[in-house]
Amino acid sequence: MKAAVYDRYGPPEVLEVREVAAPVPGDNEVLIRIRATTVCAADWRMRKADPFFIRLFMGLRGPRKVRILGMEFSGEIEAVGKCVSRFHKGDAVFGSAGFQFGCHAEFLCLPESGQLAMMPRTMSFEEAAAVMFGGVSALCFLRRAKIQAGQKVLIYGASGSVGVFAVQLAKYFGAQVTGVCSTRNVALVKSLGADHVVDYTTEDFSQVGPIYDVLFDTVGHSGFRRSMRCLKRGGACVQVGYSGKLGSLVGWMVGGLWARTTGKAKMIGGVAQSAAGDQAFFTELIEAGKLRTVIDRRYRLDEIAEAHRYAQAGHKVGHVVITIG
């Protein structure tokens, strides 16, 4: 099968499309022919080893555990193990391989019990491939923030792959949502349901005073001091993953310790984790027309380096999708 492989950390050019051995499903696994996948922040950060401590898990000198990136996918069941009962050859499915990666390839094996479900009837393969990374991240952190109807929520980076889901889900849970994005994305964020939109190129979101119950930073650029200025005392401050530069991360760590100690804010971060039923929840909302994906650009697998370059630049709107086959 064809797959995008990397043997060393570095720029997008370290990715090469090669012929590699196709996986063989075990008794409790399915073999998926991938039709579409995405390039998300986790992919290009793993490729760059950014932040540096990624090397502690992936390999100091080069990637040892993962050589094919890609976290989320859509496709068709190609074959099933003899103990599989939930899926059959030809089923259209979507899901995530999580931090095992491997979706930037023509085929992928997953356990029947993994993050795998029948594809929403109203979506194309490209649309369905772009659900899990942003959707799970947004849903996980909104739950940790204990979002409630009537709360005021600010989504910083509202037009990114996590942000577009955070806006829609926060509205679904009954919050009053303010999105922060650039000028060109204001109309999009409003169309996703945001009650107010702040254009960060002309306005400073933190000048409005301490009015938000939840501040959700999807990109790591809100800044600790600015975030504290507009967050109600005891409110939830969400910092997704390990976003931002090293200095920013240190600032958040030190500031977060102070905020927790003084009761100024509940600091929420780390790595998103899916819960049982998440995919069924997403499918229900999607088929009801209450949740959608946003696709910025589409690339072929042999254009994987260019797709990484564009995603890494930090200006994508929603998702960058890779079509396969």
Side-chain angles (χ1 to χ4, degrees):
M1 70 172 183
K2 291 182 178 179
V5 179
Y6 77 127
D7 298 315
R8 66 187 190 281
Y9 303 120
E13 287 74 22
V14 302
L15 294 163
E16 296 180 2
V17 177
R18 304 177 191 167
E19 287 287 341
V20 300
V24 177
D27 290 348
N28 297 296
E29 293 183 323
V30 299
L31 178 66
I32 303 156
R33 180 184 290 273
I34 295 178
R35 297 300 188 187
T37 180
T38 67
V39 176
C40 65
D43 294 317
W44 62 260
R45 287 190 180 278
M46 290 294 178
R47 189 207 74 235
K48 285 183 64 182
D50 175 23
F52 180 82
F53 60 73
I54 284 175
R55 294 173 182 259
L56 299 178
F57 305 97
M58 303 297 291
L60 291 176
R61 297 183 178 181
R64 290 183 289 106
K65 294 184 178 181
V66 173
R67 295 177 60 239
I68 301 173
L69 296 169
M71 295 187 75
E72 54 187 345
F73 67 89
S74 64
E76 297 166 318
I77 301 295
E78 183 74 9
V80 300
K82 64 181 182 180
C83 297
V84 172
S85 58
R86 287 180 58 210
F87 301 100
H88 302 86
K89 180 177 171 60
D91 286 347
V93 294
F94 78 117
S96 172
F99 286 98
Q100 293 183 14
F101 293 91
C103 298
H104 292 169
E106 291 182 312
F107 293 98
L108 173 74
C109 273
L110 278 184
E112 178 187 25
S113 59
Q115 290 186 47
L116 180 66
M118 299 295 289
M119 206 168 77
R121 295 186 300 270
T122 55
M123 280 189 157
S124 66
F125 282 118
E126 294 176 357
E127 292 168 330
V131 171
M132 292 301 290
F133 175 76
V136 166
S137 297
L139 182 59
C140 173
F141 287 116
L142 286 173
R143 283 172 172 164
R144 290 184 190 176
K146 302 187 185 313
I147 188 170
Q148 298 178 20
Q151 287 186 325
K152 293 183 177 180
V153 178
L154 183 135
I155 312 292
Y156 195 98
S159 59
S161 57
V162 177
V164 296
F165 284 107
V167 170
Q168 295 176 88
L169 290 171
K171 283 300 296 179
Y172 172 78
F173 289 125
Q176 297 180 43
V177 179
T178 297
V180 180
C181 62
S182 64
T183 307
R184 73 185 182 110
N185 298 323
V186 168
L188 167 67
V189 175
K190 286 183 178 178
S191 76
L192 296 173
D195 300 285
H196 309 283
V197 181
V198 175
D199 178 354
Y200 69 75
T201 68
T202 60
E203 302 176 74
D204 183 349
F205 74 91
S206 70
Q207 295 303 312
V208 295
I211 64 169
Y212 296 107
D213 300 286
V214 179
L215 189 146
F216 192 135
D217 183 355
T218 72
V219 291
H221 296 160
S222 62
F224 179 78
R225 291 183 179 179
R226 290 198 302 164
S227 298
M228 293 300 105
R229 274 205 300 266
C230 66
L231 188 67
K232 290 182 180 179
R233 182 170 184 83
C237 185
V238 177
Q239 181 81 353
V240 174
Y242 296 99
S243 305
K245 298 181 179 179
L246 181 59
S248 175
L249 290 173
V250 173
W252 278 99
M253 290 173 65
V254 175
L257 179 61
W258 167 82
R260 285 191 295 269
T261 302
T262 61
K264 171 61 180 174
K266 301 169 185 172
M267 306 302 296
I268 300 169
V271 177
Q273 294 181 328
S274 65
D278 281 355
Q279 278 185 278
F281 175 70
F282 292 143
T283 297
E284 181 180 350
L285 292 188
I286 289 165
E287 293 183 345
K290 297 179 180 179
L291 191 69
R292 64 183 174 97
T293 55
V294 176
I295 298 175
D296 187 341
R297 294 190 181 184
R298 298 166 172 83
Y299 296 88
R300 301 186 308 272
L301 183 61
D302 59 8
E303 299 173 313
I304 189 73
E306 185 58 34
H308 268 248
R309 186 175 295 106
Y310 181 69
Q312 181 183 327
H315 302 298
K316 71 180 178 68
V317 180
H319 302 81
V320 170
V321 170
I322 307 296
T323 58
I324 301 177

